[in-house]
Amino acid sequence: MDLGYINARVRGMHSRLLGQKAFDALMIQQDIPSLVSELEKTPYRDEIQEASVLYPGLKGIETALRLNLVHTCQKILSLVEGSDAEPLVRIILARWDVHNIKTVMRGKHLHVSPEEIEECLIPAGSLGEPLLVELIKQPDVRGVVDLLATWEVPFARPLTQYLDEYASARELSVLEYALDRFHYENSLALLKAGKSDHEVMRTLLMQEIDSLNLKNAIRMNRDRVDPETAQKYFLPGGESITLEKFLIMVKANNIDEIVGTVEGTPYYFLASLIPEAMRTGTFSVLEKELDEHLTRKGTGVFRSDPLGGAVVIGYLWAKQNEIINIRIIARCKDARISDAELEKELRHV
Amino acid sequence: MAGWEIPLGAAIAFAAGAIGTAWAQSRIGSAGAGTIAERPETSGSIIVLEAIPETLVILGFVVASMIIIMVE
């Protein structure tokens, strides 16, 4: 399909994203029922009405948001089918496949009930709801991997390769790392050199890899993981965080060494947050800042090339951020958290 | 000068304008269709935008006419 047509539709969809006024209206609501009423005035109306019938309260809102994201992703995919933007959208949607496979494996590893696993799934990728329901029915992680292999899902390859290691060590992180590594390597390999949209996507993926490596390195430093083990969990292909920097961060004996590593990289904004995070042992602020940085980059590509496929990428990032923010508002309202705290929790991009 | 050069010049002036208009309208048309699909309330502005490149072909027609009438 013509990119001009696709971009115009995506821009139309982008114009329906909630603005500051709509968010302010959501934030001033006192409780979940009034939040549901307010959401009924937004483009989430259909999903909210559908989900509220099935589940009351917070669960209804979360189900509606999930439904909306799935509908949006399916709509975008049907729009870009056969166009130059299709591989870019497929790469973005593959993240949901990774999320879903990891969620099912975690659920099976920790013997969580199928209903609880299903609540956490977002069938926005190539694995639709019926396939995910079949996955949940499997008795254990091996069953999940075997079923993925039977369906010839590409993600089964790295999982099958590391299944024995998982079985002997009972460490799910082995499989999760294999999945992440395969996803990023596969996605980067799909992108062609010289195409501006593909270069934009490559940069975003590389920054995503950096972000994951940074989070892992800081956590591993806190948990005093030995560098040899840590090295096994390094994701190659990042933009600024090399293996050398990663290992320095893991081995660092003081905060200054970690801060020094991010110096001269786009992640220097973390320098002021790392000491506090290391002292308190809570990394949520650090992770939030990193996620915000990544989201800012992702949503920023919407304004890059008006005639290219990057507009679609920017929209998908913006949509995801909007849903995350509504979810934060709903959870804070449910937990009766103050407006000031709620404001801090929101992702401002 | 009353040979084949005058009608050829007029034809080029008109054809170039027409080709330019066609190209511009095709791009505006596809983007406009996308916009109307998402936001039907914009259809009025889209029709105006779709018509703007017509000026190109009209200009080409005027130039072609002038060539035929004025060049001797």
Side-chain angles (χ1 to χ4, degrees):
Chain A
M1 211 179 279
D2 180 43
L3 264 182
Y5 174 78
I6 295 167
N7 282 354
R9 286 202 68 166
V10 172
R11 279 172 191 280
M13 290 163 77
H14 192 271
S15 71
R16 282 200 299 271
L17 290 177
L18 303 186
Q20 192 55 48
K21 231 181 191 174
F23 268 109
D24 288 343
L26 291 177
M27 280 163 66
I28 57 166
Q29 302 307 316
Q30 294 301 314
D31 48 23
I32 294 289
S34 53
L35 188 64
V36 170
S37 310
E38 192 58 38
L39 279 169
E40 282 179 349
K41 296 176 195 160
T42 67
Y44 291 91
R45 191 187 58 210
D46 293 347
E47 286 87 0
I48 283 284
Q49 285 174 346
E50 190 184 332
S52 300
V53 175
L54 298 169
Y55 314 103
L58 181 66
K59 196 177 173 190
I61 296 181
E62 297 216 331
T63 309
L65 295 176
R66 219 169 27 240
L67 274 174
N68 185 278
L69 183 64
V70 172
H71 291 162
T72 306
C73 291
Q74 283 168 350
K75 183 176 174 182
I76 293 279
L77 193 60
S78 66
L79 276 177
V80 299
E81 229 154 30
S83 79
D84 288 348
E86 190 183 345
L88 306 180
V89 172
R90 287 210 180 270
I91 288 173
I92 297 223
L93 298 190
R95 285 196 309 193
W96 295 114
D97 286 332
V98 173
H99 163 88
N100 290 334
I101 295 172
K102 274 187 187 175
T103 306
V104 175
M105 287 196 311
R106 278 177 198 169
K108 291 295 153 193
H109 182 75
L110 299 168
H111 306 291
V112 177
S113 72
E115 293 76 26
E116 276 180 90
I117 300 175
E118 200 174 348
E119 272 175 32
C120 302
L121 298 177
I122 300 167
S126 59
L127 294 172
E129 203 172 352
L131 298 184
L132 290 171
V133 168
E134 282 304 312
L135 272 187
I136 297 170
K137 284 181 191 164
Q138 298 311 303
D140 52 17
V141 174
R142 183 174 283 277
V144 171
V145 176
D146 287 345
L147 192 58
L148 285 171
T150 312
W151 291 337
E152 294 180 0
V153 173
F155 292 113
R157 251 181 289 150
L159 294 176
T160 313
Q161 201 182 329
Y162 285 90
L163 199 55
D164 288 339
E165 202 177 323
Y166 160 75
S168 57
R170 299 299 296 168
E171 282 274 352
L172 195 63
S173 54
V174 175
L175 290 180
E176 291 189 351
Y177 168 75
L179 201 58
D180 277 334
R181 186 171 177 153
F182 175 81
H183 166 59
Y184 287 115
E185 283 178 351
N186 199 36
S187 300
L188 287 169
L190 281 174
L191 299 170
K192 291 173 190 147
K195 278 192 162 185
S196 67
D197 301 345
H198 286 229
E199 290 305 326
V200 167
M201 189 73 218
R202 188 187 304 281
T203 311
L204 280 177
L205 282 174
M206 287 164 84
Q207 285 168 347
E208 220 175 297
I209 294 171
D210 275 349
S211 167
L212 281 173
N213 281 332
L214 268 170
K215 286 179 193 172
N216 286 341
I218 295 170
R219 280 184 181 278
M220 285 176 181
N221 179 287
R222 182 197 57 180
D223 300 339
R224 293 273 141 229
V225 176
D226 73 286
E228 219 166 275
T229 314
Q231 194 171 344
K232 283 192 213 162
Y233 292 96
F234 174 76
L235 287 168
E239 193 182 37
S240 314
I241 308 299
T242 56
L243 178 60
E244 197 188 349
K245 281 186 178 166
F246 177 82
L247 288 176
I248 292 172
M249 289 175 88
V250 174
K251 284 189 269 188
N253 289 317
N254 56 55
I255 295 162
D256 292 339
E257 270 183 72
I258 301 179
V259 173
T261 322
V262 292
E263 225 168 277
T265 70
Y267 309 99
Y268 191 58
F269 63 90
L270 293 175
S272 58
L273 301 167
I274 291 173
E276 178 69 19
M278 295 299 283
R279 199 169 49 248
T280 57
T282 50
F283 292 90
S284 56
V285 178
L286 212 68
E287 290 184 353
K288 184 177 174 272
E289 283 296 320
L290 266 172
D291 290 341
E292 266 188 24
H293 170 78
L294 210 59
T295 311
R296 216 171 287 128
K297 295 278 176 193
T299 51
V301 302
F302 185 79
R303 292 179 292 274
S304 58
D305 178 8
L307 299 174
V311 172
V312 188
I313 307 171
Y315 170 73
L316 284 170
W317 273 92
K319 182 73 191 176
Q320 190 188 328
N321 191 49
E322 178 182 278
I323 287 179
I324 289 171
N325 278 335
I326 299 174
R327 215 170 154 216
I328 290 171
I329 294 174
R331 287 191 169 224
C332 285
K333 293 290 166 195
D334 190 54
R336 304 210 173 277
I337 289 170
S338 71
D339 287 353
E341 285 293 314
L342 163 58
E343 180 71 34
K344 269 193 236 164
E345 291 299 320
L346 289 179
R347 274 203 204 173
H348 298 283
V349 291
Chain B
M1 193 165 68
W4 52 270
E5 300 96 330
I6 294 171
L8 182 69
I12 291 171
F14 187 73
I19 291 167
T21 300
W23 183 78
Q25 284 190 328
S26 75
R27 303 297 299 266
I28 296 169
S30 63
T35 311
I36 294 171
E38 288 301 323
R39 309 203 58 155
E41 70 273 15
T42 59
S43 48
S45 340
I46 298 297
I47 290 167
V48 172
L49 289 171
E50 182 71 28
I52 288 174
E54 288 292 340
T55 52
L56 266 175
V57 74
I58 293 167
L59 197 68
F61 174 74
V62 171
V63 171
S65 306
M66 285 169 74
I67 291 170
I68 290 171
I69 296 164
M70 297 171 79
V71 179
E72 289 189 22

